Amino acid sequence: MKSNKVVLLLALGTLMLIEPAMMLYDKQVETVTAEKKNTNAQKTKLSDSQIIKNLGVKKVANSDNDKLTAKYANIVKQQHYTWENPYIKVNPYENSPLTALMVFHTDKPAKISYRVIGKTENTTIENKVKGYQADHQVPIVGLYAGYDNSVEVTMTDQAGKKQVKVVKIKTSKLPSWISKFPIKVTVNDKSKMNLGSNELTVLNRSTKQTFAVDGDGEVRWYYLRWNQHIFEQLDNGHILLFNKIKSGDEQYNMLVETDYLGRVYRQFSFDKTLGKSYSGEGVSLVHHDVVEMSNGNWLLTVHDGSKYVEDTIAELDPNTGKIVKVIDFKKIFPESMYKNSKIKANDNTSGGLGLMDWLHINTISYDDKTGNILLSARNQDMIWSMNYQTNKINWIFSSKPESQWPSSFRKYLLKPSSGTKYPGGQHGVYILNEENNKLNVLLYDNNIAVTNGDKKQNGKFSAATEYQIDTKKKTIKQVWSYGKNLGKQNFTEVIGYAQRLNNGNTLINFGFKNKGKESNIIEVDAYGNQVFNLTITNSAKDMTYVYRAYRMQFYPDNYVFDATK
């Protein structure tokens, strides 16, 4: 009897030890199962071929989209609609409610332009269709929501004769996921803002849907698919997004080439099973950034499938759907940087599996002229440049003391001039210009010392900062900055972006203001005078912080819509 009690007590004790371990994996049974399948999850370095296999990229058809395209192509070919009686379809691809497609035929070739008439000064959106043609397909963007829009369409024949007409296009009201989050504009000097004839401010949120506003803060475009982090305008005028197909899907796993009308041209899925093995809800294998290369391929920031996350980049050929190159930065930087790191990925990134986030790449920028890439690593408070083909490092900007770097790396370290601040937890670094060994870059300095950073100024402010680097002398100096004067109220420990606009202004996204309760987008001139100030209330529950804000053309001159192709 006594021995039975001992056995029972031992069994209970064993269960008590097992239970906490079971709770760690109590996300979902399928997550645990996927973890068991991922035999690489506790490895340090993987082969390039294994990383490519882990990413599991597949080209995916979109039959619903293709059926709509075929429908519009048939309307074009039938030539039933005329200048006097055009075909107009609002939200033609059921993804973009503030757009429309207009189709009509003319006996003689003509070119078409249009104006969506704005409610106030400098809010009219103007675009033109390239070339002279008889079968017209006019993609209309920039409509107001819940409004009977006036769209002025101009037709010009080859002799220069013009005809002008106004068509009315009525749209539905904004959905609650936009309308319930107040947008407040306190400054909007539209005469000094960089708006052009068709530019809007894109509010690309960490999760949920992306939308864009005009100089008044009025929503003029939104996209119904849930999108995470990625929003890149390609050379052909299309945009690249990273979507959930349905809002209820567990992960973002579809890289989509679309346009402002919502037409899908190409889309690629990434491995769901591996993603589940170390990802929580709403996170997948691609993260943070993508950039288009001069060869048309896309460089992506990815997880490699090892026990380390966000330290790898991959080049995807969109024509074949194949990954053609990967760079694992554990194979580039000193072993001590990742093996000695104690930074664990948050549960949204690792699913509670305790994976390591030593680097945390949040930006990649590609230089067509030199073939160099520029990257930002938040968790090392570091930016660096390297040649993409050779993997040879050009320079490193980091406050990590020279003595803590192996001797082979010390020659790459930039020496800052007096008054030049080291960034901390920075985002969004990219090249402004380069001439005579002088390279100017812009970044958003969160100013949080994650591992290195500027510990004296840590947490006091965040700022958009421009640096000039002498690539020959390996020196760096700060030449412009904005944000310090705003103080702690605009400090953002995560998220943020800065964009230099065509007129010299800078658009700055303080995306995690007030501990994430607000995102504050400010446009300043070269002297730091505010010409635009917008604040949107965020939802912490849905992580709807503005990850990046961009001023974008809707749409660029090289964009062509053609349903027959």
Side-chain angles (χ1 to χ4, degrees), residues 329-509:
F329 285 97
K330 294 185 291 296
K331 300 172 184 177
I332 302 292
F333 287 114
E335 188 176 87
S336 60
M337 288 179 71
Y338 58 89
K339 284 205 168 179
N340 296 342
S341 174
K342 301 187 187 311
I343 303 176
K344 289 189 177 182
N346 62 44
D347 284 355
N348 284 329
T349 304
S350 70
L353 299 179
L355 302 178
M356 306 305 293
D357 192 13
W358 67 284
L359 197 62
H360 196 100
I361 300 172
N362 58 28
T363 309
I364 183 168
S365 178
Y366 179 81
D367 185 357
D368 290 341
K369 295 179 182 178
T370 62
N372 293 331
I373 53 174
L374 182 62
L375 300 105
S376 163
R378 166 186 157 77
N379 286 355
Q380 291 292 330
D381 307 296
M382 176 180 75
I383 64 173
W384 75 99
S385 169
M386 61 186 286
N387 185 273
Y388 181 66
Q389 295 302 321
T390 65
N391 292 359
K392 182 181 181 298
I393 293 174
N394 298 315
W395 52 261
I396 298 170
F397 185 38
S398 166
S399 61
K400 183 177 179 179
E402 184 177 318
S403 60
Q404 294 181 19
W405 288 92
S407 56
S408 60
F409 279 82
R410 294 173 189 174
K411 61 187 175 182
Y412 304 127
L413 302 178
L414 298 179
K415 294 179 173 57
S417 63
S418 177
T420 295
K421 181 189 174 301
Y422 286 104
Q426 70 293 318
H427 287 73
V429 61
Y430 73 96
I431 296 169
L432 293 176
N433 53 69
E434 183 173 14
E435 188 175 358
N436 298 326
N437 300 316
K438 298 293 192 302
L439 175 69
N440 283 51
V441 301
L442 183 69
L443 59 76
Y444 180 82
D445 180 9
N446 292 81
N447 192 25
I448 179 169
V450 183
T451 54
N452 302 298
D454 188 327
K455 293 180 174 60
K456 290 183 179 179
Q457 300 186 73
N458 178 60
K460 293 181 178 179
F461 62 89
S462 297
T465 303
E466 179 182 353
Y467 296 95
Q468 185 176 84
I469 298 164
D470 189 316
T471 55
K472 191 172 183 180
K473 295 180 179 179
K474 295 292 190 294
T475 59
I476 184 169
K477 65 179 179 179
Q478 183 174 310
V479 295
W480 182 88
S481 187
Y482 179 84
K484 187 174 183 179
N485 61 318
L486 301 178
K488 198 160 186 173
Q489 70 170 1
N490 270 61
F491 168 69
T492 59
E493 60 188 75
V494 296
I495 302 176
Y497 194 69
Q499 177 190 10
R500 182 61 47 80
L501 304 175
N502 291 334
N503 67 351
N505 289 355
T506 305
L507 187 73
I508 310 165
N509 170 42

Side-chain angles (χ1 to χ4, degrees), residues 6 74 111 124 340 394 463 484 498 540 549 561:
V6 170
N74 189 50
K111 63 180 179 181
T124 292
N340 296 342
N394 298 315
K484 187 174 183 179
F561 177 89

Side-chain angles (χ1 to χ4, degrees), residues 14-50:
T14 304
L15 284 171
M16 289 174 68
L17 288 171
I18 291 171
E19 186 176 7
M22 290 178 67
M23 288 175 65
L24 177 65
Y25 293 92
D26 193 26
K27 294 287 179 181
Q28 289 180 345
V29 173
E30 60 184 358
T31 302
V32 179
T33 302
E35 161 60 11
K36 289 178 180 178
K37 291 179 181 178
N38 180 15
T39 57
N40 302 297
Q42 295 305 314
K43 293 183 178 180
T44 300
K45 295 179 186 177
L46 306 178
S47 66
D48 289 356
S49 60
Q50 183 62 55

